[in-house]
Amino acid sequence: MHTPDSTTTLPLSAETQRLAALRATGLLDTPPAEEFDRITRLASQLFGVPIALVSLVDAERQWFKSHLGLPVRETCREDAFCDHTIRTSNVMVVENALADPRFAQNPLVLGEPHIRFYAGAPLILRGGHHIGSLCLIDTIPRSFSTAQQRQLEDLAALVLAQIDLQCSAARVDEATLLPNRAQLLQDIAGLCRAEPGGRRVLALVELLPHDGLMDAARALGMGPIEQLTHEAGQRLSRCIGDGSRVYHTGVARLAVLLRPGEEEAVQAFAQQLLGALLAPIAASHSGLVINQRQRVGLAPFTLDPADASDAPRRANAALYQQAMPGASICGYDAAVDASYRRSYELIASVPRALMAGEFRLVYQPQFERASTRYTCVEALLRWDHPRLGPVPPGDFIPLLEKTSYIQALTQWVLDTALAQIRAWEDEGLALDVAVNVSPRNLEQPDFIDMLQSACARHRLAPSRLEIECTENAVLTEGPTLRAVNAARALGVRVALDDFGTGYCNFGCLYGLSAEVLKLDQALIRPIGSDARALDVVRGMVQLGRTLGYRLLAEGVETAEVFDQLMEMGCDQVQGYYLSRPLPAQEAFAFVQRWNELVSPTPTVHLG
């Protein structure tokens, strides 16, 4: 039997240093980790023992970072065989504990787990501190050769390599010295193995709102922000005590894993976290002080890999959802999150949808008062998503306007609409077409070239095309206004969409860069029953025509409203009373039938 060194006690100062080194690893009371469990499984199989442990010897206990074959996570240090192992630099072997006077009366020998054989290799950090052991336990006496001792030392070296990794930049943020996002994910995975089906709450603490963070980084650099995050992490660590860890998961972002309880209790603890940050935190020599609004995003999750791996994303999503009344505590809302993820899926699906033919156009005829004919159709975009079904334009157009995809989609709409007008004209039906364009389209340097090329490609005069723009495009100075004026110079008509519901007023009509004013349906619908609404629309029509604009009313749904618009001299109307938006073939049949009825010889547009 190999015996330990003759030293029986460690000087107090050395023990204090040893405990400081142990706690500096950040391993105590952390969730299980597969990297350590893999080593204990290997040790158990290699040596044929039922119990293998990675033991860390704390002040009053030994705590197991990995425990195979033993149902407890810690035991009293006074009874720990490993407390003897850390006093030597060699493998300690006890071949028969009942025959060893040091252990014959040990509670772990006389009772569970009835230790008879023990072999432990000390875990010695680079600084020389002995923090624990990789140990083997059996319930029957056995021998342990010198070759086996060397093998156990090799496995202990693997444990130390994992400890080094835990303390390296791969697991610890260099600036704040806090465990990082990689460590958080590993700890969550360990909890899933240790407590499958259990519950936790991930609290994500935002120290600075995004705009404040960007302003500070721009003015001062990242150093002061990292100092502030370090100090905030220390405050939170003192707040939560030894029961959990504070993780640095992003710039000015900290995270804490909480045990679930009543919703009120979790919120109360989150409020304590915010309370720890209540006093301003200053970064030395920078003048930067965190005294802005901090927030906590709370995301409950189940300890199974699929749900747990999504917890950081959900906690981040919670930060941007509606805060609970009276506090900056934001609870995760699955419905809000689902809506946001749907929006993101729509954006990401656009390239595929364009290639797969998921987009289509429908056409709503526009009635002209002067000729009593349908002379133009508005091309309206529809999306038949294979998984989400029909997606209204209001759900995806505003999203796409924030991305470069709006260029490709507008190009597709323009080409498809002009190709359809060309096809109808080849069949004897001459119509103009109105297409909606985004301010983002107008900002593109090649927008006018795109219009000109599309008209030429489909052998149509630019005058056959009308582009509908929102007020901010027509009224804004700069590239958008220049694009609008260039389109008019090309011969393309420009219509101001949704007139009367945004920023436009009567004064702006004097210099508006548009030829057609589309009166929004919100103005039109009430005029059949509201005399004041009727007077407003009548005044807008009269003033618009006086200033040389064509007036088009949309949202006409009743005969009474149609007659009123005709009586006041509105140039064009469209709406469900006349026709819903129709697929190309049905639109062709509808317009051709009406125009033939009104005049058997339609007027063909030249060019």
Side-chain angles (χ1 to χ4, degrees), residues 68 81 84 116 225 257 290 305 323 365 379 465 478 505 533:
L68 178 68
F81 282 51
H84 294 260
R116 295 297 180 267
I225 295 173
L257 282 171
I290 291 183
L465 175 64
N505 53 50

Side-chain angles (χ1 to χ4, degrees), residues 586-599:
E586 295 179 29
F588 175 85
F590 174 84
V591 172
Q592 186 181 53
R593 184 168 56 250
W594 175 267
N595 286 358
E596 286 286 349
L597 181 64
V598 172
S599 172

Side-chain angles (χ1 to χ4, degrees), residues 232-466:
Q234 297 306 308
R235 288 193 188 183
L236 292 187
S237 295
R238 291 191 291 269
C239 174
I240 64 178
D242 297 330
S244 187
R245 308 172 81 176
V246 177
Y247 303 86
H248 183 192
T249 60
V251 180
R253 291 280 182 88
L254 301 172
V256 180
L257 282 171
L258 308 177
R259 289 189 173 274
E262 295 294 329
E263 183 177 347
E264 293 79 6
V266 173
Q267 292 181 36
F269 193 85
Q271 193 61 53
Q272 289 181 31
L273 295 179
L274 290 174
L277 304 173
L278 190 59
I281 304 174
S284 59
H285 310 301
S286 71
L288 178 61
V289 177
I290 291 183
N291 58 4
Q292 303 182 53
R293 172 181 52 86
Q294 293 95 30
R295 293 188 299 178
V296 177
L298 299 175
F301 64 96
T302 303
L303 292 177
D304 69 72
D307 192 54
S309 63
D310 194 43
R313 186 199 63 80
R314 295 203 299 267
N316 185 68
L319 283 173
Y320 297 99
Q321 295 174 3
Q322 181 64 42
M324 299 173 187
S328 296
I329 301 173
C330 313
Y332 173 74
D333 187 318
V336 173
D337 188 34
S339 175
Y340 183 84
R341 298 185 77 182
R342 177 179 183 271
S343 298
Y344 189 84
E345 180 182 354
L346 289 175
I347 293 174
S349 299
V350 168
R352 185 213 67 237
L354 284 168
M355 295 181 63
E358 295 172 17
F359 290 108
R360 59 187 175 88
L361 292 182
V362 292
Y363 301 88
Q364 187 168 34
Q366 296 176 342
F367 181 83
E368 185 180 67
R369 175 177 175 273
S371 66
T372 67
R373 297 166 56 82
Y374 292 100
T375 57
C376 185
V377 291
E378 181 180 6
L380 299 168
L381 185 61
R382 299 291 184 264
W383 186 357
D384 298 318
H385 196 282
R387 193 182 71 81
L388 301 175
V391 184
D395 285 4
F396 65 88
I397 293 296
L399 300 174
L400 297 185
E401 287 182 323
K402 300 175 183 178
T403 74
S404 60
Y405 292 150
I406 193 67
Q407 314 302 338
L409 188 60
T410 300
Q411 176 74 70
W412 181 87
V413 170
L414 187 64
D415 267 321
T416 304
L418 291 177
Q420 188 61 68
I421 295 301
R422 178 75 263 167
W424 284 342
E425 184 155 316
D426 291 343
E427 295 184 53
L429 179 63
L431 288 171
D432 296 344
V433 65
V435 171
N436 289 275
V437 298
S438 164
R440 289 289 302 274
N441 297 134
L442 299 173
E443 293 169 359
Q444 295 303 304
D446 61 347
F447 177 69
I448 299 303
D449 290 339
M450 182 178 75
L451 295 182
Q452 191 169 20
S453 298
C455 290
R457 188 161 50 250
H458 299 288
R459 298 178 289 116
L460 292 168
S463 59
R464 303 289 297 281
L465 175 64
E466 179 178 296

Side-chain angles (χ1 to χ4, degrees), residues 199-221:
R199 301 282 295 171
R200 288 291 188 278
V201 176
L202 179 60
L204 186 61
V205 182
E206 182 182 70
L207 302 175
L208 281 169
H210 182 74
D211 51 353
L213 174 63
M214 293 300 101
D215 289 344
R218 182 179 178 183
L220 302 171

Side-chain angles (χ1 to χ4, degrees), residues 512-561:
L512 203 58
S513 296
E515 296 153 287
V516 180
L517 303 181
K518 288 193 71 173
L519 301 178
D520 187 78
Q521 56 188 341
L523 292 172
I524 300 303
R525 285 175 178 166
I527 67 175
S529 56
D530 187 331
R532 296 186 66 183
L534 178 62
D535 288 339
V536 169
V537 171
R538 179 179 288 112
M540 294 176 72
V541 170
Q542 291 174 352
L543 180 58
R545 296 194 71 189
T546 300
L547 295 174
Y549 296 101
R550 290 178 59 84
L551 277 296
L552 189 157
E554 58 183 352
V556 178
E557 297 183 352
T558 66
E560 181 182 10
V561 169

